[in-house]
Amino acid sequence: MTHSFVVPVPEAELEPEPLSPEQIVSGTPEVTGKVVWESADGRRVRGVWQITPGVVTDTEADEMFVVLSGSATIEVAGGPTLTVGPGDLAVLREGDRTTWTVHETLRKAYAIDLG
């Protein structure tokens, strides 16, 4: 996109983003998302992401996000345990190995910068 824009995040229609089976620790979490902007070089991505309840693992990119709805506990290996809910802004560092325990379907708006 070359122009400024607005996305109604709570109502944004999201597309399935299947998890790798190796990422699922417990439950049957489902991920959906939508990229709303990406830089020409693909190194900066902005979007909306949602996950249903369950426990999953991930290796993070450099990301800042704001939780719009739902809640989760994010355990960072060798670091803090983050509890996030509506209105919280969180920052994850590139390379963080995380375990997400999603208590209620979580929807977030994010900004990712790839190294």
Side-chain angles (χ1 to χ4, degrees):
M1 293 187 173
T2 57
H3 302 286
S4 299
F5 62 94
V6 171
V7 175
V9 178
E11 296 88 29
E13 290 195 28
L14 309 179
E15 299 293 323
E17 294 181 3
L19 288 163
S20 167
E22 295 84 33
Q23 288 182 271
I24 300 172
V25 175
S26 68
T28 54
E30 295 182 9
V31 172
T32 52
K34 178 178 184 171
V35 172
V36 298
W37 180 86
E38 185 173 349
S39 63
D41 63 6
R43 294 178 62 172
R44 294 179 294 146
V45 181
R46 312 298 183 243
V48 180
W49 185 86
Q50 181 170 287
I51 185 169
T52 62
V55 180
V56 299
T57 61
D58 200 7
T59 300
E60 303 297 335
D62 181 17
E63 177 181 4
M64 180 182 78
F65 64 88
V66 175
V67 176
L68 298 149
S69 59
S71 64
T73 303
I74 306 164
E75 296 175 55
V76 179
T81 296
L82 312 172
T83 302
V84 297
D88 288 336
L89 181 146
V91 175
L92 298 172
R93 297 178 313 154
E94 182 175 0
D96 278 349
R97 296 176 57 80
T98 56
T99 301
W100 290 65
T101 301
V102 181
H103 310 291
E104 299 173 71
T105 297
L106 184 137
R107 182 174 283 220
K108 67 180 183 177
Y110 67 84
I112 293 176
D113 293 313
L114 303 169

